[in-house]
Amino acid sequence: MTSSVLPKLSPPRTATVPTRRRRRSRWISVPGIAAQVGIAVLVLIAVMGPTLWMEAATARDIASRWAPASAAHLFGTDDIGRDIFARVMVATRTSLLLAAGATAMLMVGGLVIGLSAVMLPRRARRAVIWVMDILLAFPWLLLVLFFTVIWNASAIGAMLAIGLAGIPSVTRLVYNMASSVSDQDYVRAARVVGVGRLVIMFRHILPNIANPLLVQSAAAASTTLLSFAGLSFLGLGVQAPDYDWGRLLNEGLGHLYTNPMAAVGPGVAVVFAGVVFTMIAETLGEQPGQGLRATADASRAAVAVRRRARVPAAAARPERPRGTALAEVRGLRVAFPDGEGGVVERVHGVDLRVEPGEVVGIVGESGSGKSLTAMALAGLLDAPAIVAAEVRRFDDIDLGGALSLAARKRLGVELGVIFQDPLTSLNPALTIGRQLTEVSREHLGMRRAEARARAVEGLRAVGIAEPDSRLGDYPHQFSGGMRQRAMIGMALTGRPRLIIADEPTTALDVTVQRQVLSVLRHAQEATSAGIVFISHDIALVSGFCDRVVVMKDGAIVEELDARRIKQDASHPYTRGLIACLPDMNSDRTRPLPVISDSLRPRDLAERIDTAGAGATPPADREEVAL
């Protein structure tokens, strides 16, 4: 089965495959090592402090009250003779626990509200973000003091106050990042495959925003620690007989001139912990693409629940009448809001059919509506796009209505999409192997080893050397051409009956272009899959496709048999595209024609005829215009 869908293709000839050098972890650097040593010291003191220094921190010696710093008492003593250094060490646990609790509260609260807002309907989403923006308008310290008054002056009250006051800023951060990621092609493709909202959130969105969130967590811990010290210093935090660094700082400040270390000692502890958290944030900020792997892996539980409802891949489908198109759109119109209450229509009443085993090419200039038409056919256009059509279906699935779970699963297996820009179409937070095995495991019911073998075969089929070792790489570790080939291999890992290729050879050299087209052709012949091939290159399309559809300004201007495109082309725009391509018989002393909007169709025909007759062009370059 695998060999029939994924035809083997010899990789490009290379002398040797150089050993790939892994990027050294930022944790093995001066900031990284300093952060690790600092956090180890803080954790050790927090765990062992009460055991080692509790007796000295509570023992009273009135005769030695307010003793200056010495070898016996590094920070001196307080008003009843207790060792201040011992009290600072014991207070480490309380200070860190309160800071960690408030940080966890504001991060979890912001994460839940921000991610929930992304999934809410538009009006509810705007209402939630509106409330968060109002809270952000108030100074953060003012909110902390407000919440502190509500829960009275206590350690728990201060923790709740700082945690709740920090939620709006984290919510805004999470919402902005999640909204930007949710518009990426790989998220849209996951929706078409049939992945649920929660799984998309935990597998595709959260891992991509995890790294900034980890940096924000470390930075928030530093800010929270300083806030606790400030509240306790003001008497609004930890209350007697308990103490933390802020309370010790307040007690020692009155004797700053007689025993400076009584105030400097707790201050040094606060600064040291703040610097450690800052170093952690700096180190995490230099770890791109390494997000929350554990979070992504935790979504496997949700995936397992979805598998219980899996429809078998071999489930019987209703017979399609002979002569019926594999995919079809009639009267397709695609519009977008113009921001002023109206809409701008980009695709105007397009009719397109793809027969089983047919390769249909769509050609036209940028902005002609090629990709919009293909994405509408695949069901990949979401709001704010407004899609309307008399008929829009794939096989017996009506893409214009609500899709059932079984229909979405079929689309995930039988519809393959090769996006134009693989850098935005591949999930940067997941490895290539994880993305290539998704369809096999989700919809074909394969085990991990089987799905991995199929992914290896997919990479090998598109000419990627050492596919076994490259499955563990991230997209940024692939070159542009390799990413494009990986996208093609991903589209072939299912059982595609229709492949939509949106300029799949754009980033490839001519040798690899030929190999990629050979892979697509072999896959089409082996499975009788239909292909919608989008390109700017009319010569490439006419050589690869069976039928060519020419689009201009959101409408189809002509449909031609690819073998007779030069002979049968009648529309001025199609003739202009053909005239712009040189061949072996082109006169190299004459400038090439170009497409321009400055001339009318009648002038275009006259210019093409003139160029074909060998007349001298009236300007420095021939303009073939619509």
Side-chain angles (χ1 to χ4, degrees):
M1 176 182 65
T2 301
S3 59
S4 63
V5 177
L6 301 175
K8 293 186 178 180
L9 177 67
S10 299
R13 295 180 180 178
T14 54
T16 57
V17 179
T19 303
R20 292 178 291 111
R21 298 178 61 183
R22 297 288 182 179
R23 181 181 177 180
R24 189 179 69 172
S25 173
R26 281 287 297 174
W27 292 105
I28 311 176
S29 62
V30 175
I33 294 175
Q36 295 178 73
V37 172
I39 198 67
V41 170
L42 289 177
V43 171
L44 183 63
I45 294 176
V47 173
M48 303 298 296
T51 303
L52 297 178
W53 290 288
M54 181 62 75
E55 182 177 354
T58 56
R60 302 182 181 184
D61 186 0
I62 303 299
S64 301
R65 62 191 304 266
W66 294 121
S70 63
H73 305 287
L74 294 180
F75 294 164
T77 59
D78 62 4
D79 56 346
I80 56 176
R82 294 172 297 193
D83 189 283
I84 296 178
F85 174 79
R87 289 170 66 81
V88 170
M89 296 297 104
V90 173
T92 301
R93 176 184 294 183
T94 300
S95 299
L96 293 182
L97 285 178
L98 290 176
T103 302
M105 182 182 302
L106 66 89
M107 291 303 301
V108 172
L111 192 63
V112 171
I113 298 176
L115 293 179
S116 299
V118 174
M119 296 187 293
L120 290 174
R122 185 170 63 92
R123 291 187 176 180
R125 178 173 67 249
R126 294 181 64 179
V128 171
I129 299 304
W130 179 71
V131 173
M132 293 296 109
D133 288 343
I134 290 178
L135 294 177
L136 279 174
F138 291 92
W140 181 72
L141 183 58
L142 181 62
L143 285 178
V144 172
L145 295 176
F146 173 75
F147 288 125
T148 301
V149 172
I150 293 178
W151 283 294
N152 297 323
S154 64
I156 300 299
M159 183 179 69
L160 293 174
I162 294 174
L164 291 178
I167 286 178
S169 60
V170 178
T171 299
R172 236 324 175 173
L173 175 66
V174 172
Y175 174 76
N176 290 343
M177 293 190 300
S179 297
S180 63
V181 173
S182 63
D183 290 333
Q184 297 297 321
D185 290 336
Y186 54 83
V187 177
R188 297 178 181 177
R191 294 194 187 104
V192 173
V193 167
V195 180
R197 287 188 176 184
L198 288 179
V199 178
I200 288 177
M201 192 64 65
F202 283 95
R203 172 174 291 181
H204 294 283
I205 295 181
L206 187 56
N208 282 291
I209 67 175
N211 201 73
L213 288 181
L214 290 175
V215 176
Q216 179 67 19
S217 299
S222 177
T223 304
T224 300
L225 182 69
L226 295 176
S227 301
F228 261 112
L231 288 179
S232 296
F233 180 82
L234 297 174
L236 300 175
V238 177
Q239 302 297 313
D242 298 324
Y243 53 91
D244 66 345
W245 289 336
R247 185 172 180 81
L248 293 177
L249 183 61
N250 184 23
E251 293 175 355
L253 189 62
H255 296 268
L256 182 63
Y257 296 104
T258 58
N259 181 21
M261 291 306 299
V264 172
V268 168
V270 173
V271 172
F272 175 76
V275 169
V276 169
F277 291 135
T278 302
M279 299 294 280
I280 294 175
E282 180 181 351
T283 305
L284 289 173
E286 297 293 336
Q287 300 289 322
Q290 301 298 322
L292 284 177
R293 293 187 183 179
T295 305
D297 293 338
S299 65
R300 294 175 183 171
V303 175
V305 175
R306 294 179 62 253
R307 286 177 180 164
R308 297 175 185 174
R310 175 180 287 111
V311 176
R317 298 189 301 270
E319 278 296 324
R320 184 163 39 87
R322 294 181 61 86
T324 303
L326 173 64
E328 180 182 13
V329 290
R330 287 204 303 266
L332 174 66
R333 297 182 180 274
V334 180
F336 295 88
D338 60 3
E340 299 179 357
V343 295
V344 177
E345 191 172 275
R346 298 301 185 186
V347 177
H348 318 291
V350 167
D351 296 342
L352 180 65
R353 293 167 57 90
V354 183
E355 302 293 339
E358 183 184 24
V359 182
V360 178
I362 305 180
V363 68
E365 61 189 7
S366 296
S368 60
K370 307 184 302 297
S371 297
L372 284 178
T373 300
M375 295 302 104
L377 178 61
L380 286 175
L381 291 182
D382 295 327
I386 304 170
V387 182
E390 299 173 10
V391 175
R392 185 160 64 100
R393 64 173 181 82
F394 168 73
D395 199 14
D396 59 335
I397 301 176
D398 182 9
L399 298 177
L403 298 178
S404 64
L405 179 61
R408 298 182 74 88
K409 288 181 176 294
R410 278 188 55 197
L411 288 176
V413 174
E414 299 179 3
L415 181 60
V417 180
I418 303 171
F419 292 100
Q420 180 176 357
D421 185 3
L423 188 60
T424 59
S425 304
L426 293 171
N427 192 327
L430 300 181
T431 62
I432 294 294
R434 180 75 175 273
Q435 298 182 65
L436 260 68
T437 58
E438 184 174 27
V439 171
S440 300
R441 299 199 67 189
E442 289 292 316
H443 299 302
L444 298 181
M446 291 186 178
R447 296 180 180 179
R448 182 186 296 271
E450 296 173 332
R452 181 180 176 84
R454 190 174 182 85
V456 169
E457 187 64 26
L459 292 183
R460 183 178 291 112
V462 292
I464 293 182
E466 296 185 345
D468 292 305
S469 61
R470 302 316 296 265
L471 288 181
D473 289 349
Y474 288 87
H476 72 271
Q477 295 174 284
F478 275 35
S479 66
M482 292 176 66
R483 283 193 293 265
Q484 187 67 65
R485 284 183 276 172
M487 275 293 303
I488 297 172
M490 185 183 304
L492 300 178
T493 53
R495 296 171 181 167
R497 302 180 62 221
L498 176 64
I499 300 173
I500 296 178
D502 189 0
E503 300 190 35
T505 59
T506 299
L508 308 180
D509 55 68
V510 292
T511 302
V512 181
Q513 280 186 15
R514 182 176 181 181
Q515 293 176 339
V516 167
L517 293 179
S518 177
V519 170
L520 290 175
R521 176 65 72 183
H522 291 165
Q524 181 262 336
E525 293 174 350
T527 62
S528 297
I531 297 179
V532 176
F533 190 88
I534 303 172
S535 178
H536 294 282
D537 191 343
I538 193 170
L540 180 66
V541 170
S542 61
F544 178 71
C545 302
D546 302 318
R547 180 161 51 92
V548 177
V549 175
V550 183
M551 292 193 67
K552 170 68 174 174
D553 295 333
I556 295 178
V557 299
E558 196 165 18
E559 291 190 28
L560 299 165
D561 187 330
R563 294 168 297 182
R564 295 185 51 83
I565 188 170
K566 290 187 177 181
Q567 296 84 349
D568 297 344
S570 60
H571 194 277
Y573 180 67
T574 308
R575 296 172 60 191
L577 291 176
I578 297 173
C580 292
L581 294 174
D583 55 29
M584 298 300 295
N585 298 321
S586 298
D587 186 355
R588 289 180 293 176
T589 64
R590 296 169 54 83
L592 290 174
V594 296
I595 301 294
S596 172
D597 289 331
S598 61
L599 300 178
R600 297 186 300 274
R602 182 178 60 185
D603 298 327
L604 170 66
E606 294 175 356
R607 289 297 186 90
I608 295 174
D609 293 339
T610 301
T616 302
D620 290 339
R621 65 176 185 175
E622 184 82 16
E623 286 191 351
V624 180
L626 181 59

